[in-house]
Amino acid sequence: MEQLRIPGPTPLPSEVLQVMSKQMINHRGAEFGQMLNEVTDKLKQLFQTKGDVFLLTGSGTGGLEAAVVNTLSPGDKVLSVSIGVFGERFAAIAEQFGAEVIPLRFDWGRAADADSVRRALQAEPKIKAVLVTHNETSTGVTNDLASISSVVKEFDKLLLVDAISSLGSINLPVDEWQCDVTVTGSQKGWMTPPGLAMVSVSQEAWQAHSKAKMPRFYWDFAQAKSYLERGQTPWTPAISTVFALSVALEMMLKEGLSNIVARHARVGKAARDGVKSLGLSLFAQESHASNTVTAIAASNGLDTKKLLRVLREEHKIILSGGQQKLDGKIFRIGHLGWVTVDDIEAVISALRVVLPQAGFKQ
Ligand SMILES: Cc1ncc(COP(=O)(O)O)c(C=O)c1O
């Protein structure tokens, strides 16, 4: 069997795979309603929020669009804190819907710095919201969201968070860190196939929603809320993916959030220690290296494309390359969701064999 070690979609436990073959049910019936209510309650526990949580059928990017169109109006100034590909995407969505985006960019591989966020907010008092990526999957960096959030809240701004590759794997107490909209995706740490974005919505986000004028229909949180009160979603949901999520959440709560976070910390450390033991260097600033994805710099003659091909063809291990300007410059190991230290050690052992074949010289 192939070992899929990319940063999503991630492998599924057999319990989750099995439930995906269940027959369809009426999405306006009692059985679905009960499942939706239970799933929503469990998600609230894992988001660590007492606010609203909605299941949206779509990918993570849809959830980011929902965060923007539900809280902002054309012409609103937003600060985009960007450390990689996904930070740029969040900003592009806001810009597409008419926000005036003020970019605050950091070198790829580095984390955002809260003092720079403070200076940017001081420089432009009219900023309404701050967009930030908690875990930048393209560079393997986790931002210090607690510090960024406390600066954003010093200035009383909305905080919209892309937590697509962190929530459910890396600690993110949504209420404590005052995140107004927090977005994640089912195919990441949730041991569930692609198809669902899960979002939390704070009271402040609801206040912003009541004034927000960006066009919205499919993603309207008010529709999601009024249907959820009846145990439904406004539009036909990805029912099989909800079946899967329901079983996966059961497994996650059984393991316990703090144990899940600790397991990801162990797995992340095993990945970093492992690649360093092979003479490779991390692409990410190590103090902020992610526990869900490790990005490794191509150095010493390493041909990352050949590396990925040989790993796939001869070892059945699938890793990711770099995105956009990082194509050919890094490769990435995904380690989120259903993953153990042994799984990562198997990747490191295969890398030890394949690195010299892919041109790497110590
Ligand atoms: C941090 C981050 N943001 C956004 C996305 C986009 O999510 P999706 O591909 O589900 O639309 C991803 C997916 O890789 C991601 O890792």
Side-chain angles (χ1 to χ4, degrees), residues 7 59-62 64 86 89 133 135 137 162 164-165 187-188:
S59 82
T61 306
L64 298 180
F86 293 106
R89 185 180 300 179
T133 317
N135 186 73
T137 319
D162 174 346
I164 289 175
S165 61
Q187 80 278 20
K188 302 289 185 182

Side-chain angles (χ1 to χ4, degrees), residues 75-339:
D76 278 349
K77 287 190 198 304
V78 299
L79 181 69
S80 147
V81 180
S82 169
I83 63 167
V85 169
F86 293 106
E88 291 302 304
R89 185 180 300 179
F90 208 177
I93 295 169
E95 195 159 279
Q96 185 77 34
F97 282 91
E100 193 184 313
V101 174
I102 299 168
L104 177 61
R105 295 192 170 97
F106 295 84
D107 287 346
W108 289 15
R110 303 205 62 84
D113 141 57
D115 287 334
S116 306
V117 175
R118 180 180 288 107
R119 282 193 294 275
L121 290 172
Q122 269 159 351
E124 182 43 271
K126 291 223 177 81
I127 286 170
K128 175 152 188 220
V130 178
L131 313 181
V132 61
T133 317
H134 183 205
N135 186 73
E136 181 50 76
T137 319
S138 66
T139 60
V141 171
T142 306
N143 271 321
D144 180 353
L145 187 58
S147 305
I148 295 170
S149 159
S150 70
V151 169
V152 171
K153 292 302 166 182
E154 250 173 58
F155 291 82
D156 210 16
K157 309 296 181 189
L158 275 181
L159 179 60
L160 309 183
V161 182
D162 174 346
I164 289 175
S165 61
S166 57
L167 242 178
S169 310
I170 296 174
N171 189 38
L172 200 189
V174 162
D175 286 357
E176 189 186 324
W177 292 357
Q178 301 182 77
C179 303
D180 293 303
V181 181
T182 322
V183 181
T184 184
S186 55
Q187 80 278 20
K188 302 289 185 182
W190 303 92
M191 306 188 293
T192 296
L196 295 169
M198 296 92 90
V199 299
S200 68
V201 182
S202 73
Q203 271 317 313
E204 288 74 9
W206 280 117
Q207 280 157 20
H209 177 276
S210 67
K211 298 187 204 99
K213 297 274 181 326
M214 281 185 183
R216 55 176 188 252
F217 185 87
Y218 185 80
W219 299 125
D220 193 344
F221 289 159
Q223 294 278 1
K225 188 173 173 70
S226 87
Y227 275 83
L228 184 58
E229 279 157 14
R230 287 173 258 162
Q232 295 181 24
T233 55
W235 334 113
T236 311
I239 293 175
S240 301
T241 311
V242 185
F243 285 152
L245 181 62
S246 168
V247 170
L249 290 173
E250 196 73 56
M251 292 174 69
M252 289 175 79
L253 288 175
K254 205 182 235 178
E255 183 176 357
L257 183 55
S258 55
N259 292 330
I260 295 173
V261 169
R263 174 167 56 82
H264 283 85
R266 283 196 302 277
V267 166
K269 184 170 186 309
R272 293 188 292 276
D273 289 350
V275 296
K276 285 191 288 182
S277 76
L278 301 173
L280 292 162
S281 347
L282 301 178
F283 178 70
Q285 167 188 1
E286 192 155 2
S287 57
H288 290 71
S290 165
N291 284 334
T292 59
V293 53
T294 296
I296 300 115
S299 61
N300 303 39
L302 177 63
D303 174 345
T304 57
K305 300 223 155 98
K306 184 161 185 200
L307 177 83
L308 297 180
R309 180 170 55 72
V310 177
L311 277 171
R312 186 179 67 241
E313 289 175 355
E314 294 179 15
H315 298 264
K316 293 194 170 24
I317 291 177
I318 319 294
L319 304 185
S320 290
Q323 292 165 281
Q324 299 182 5
K325 68 182 182 194
L326 295 178
D327 185 26
K329 304 240 164 60
I330 62 168
F331 69 97
R332 293 173 299 151
I333 307 171
H335 35 81
L336 66 173
W338 192 45
V339 60

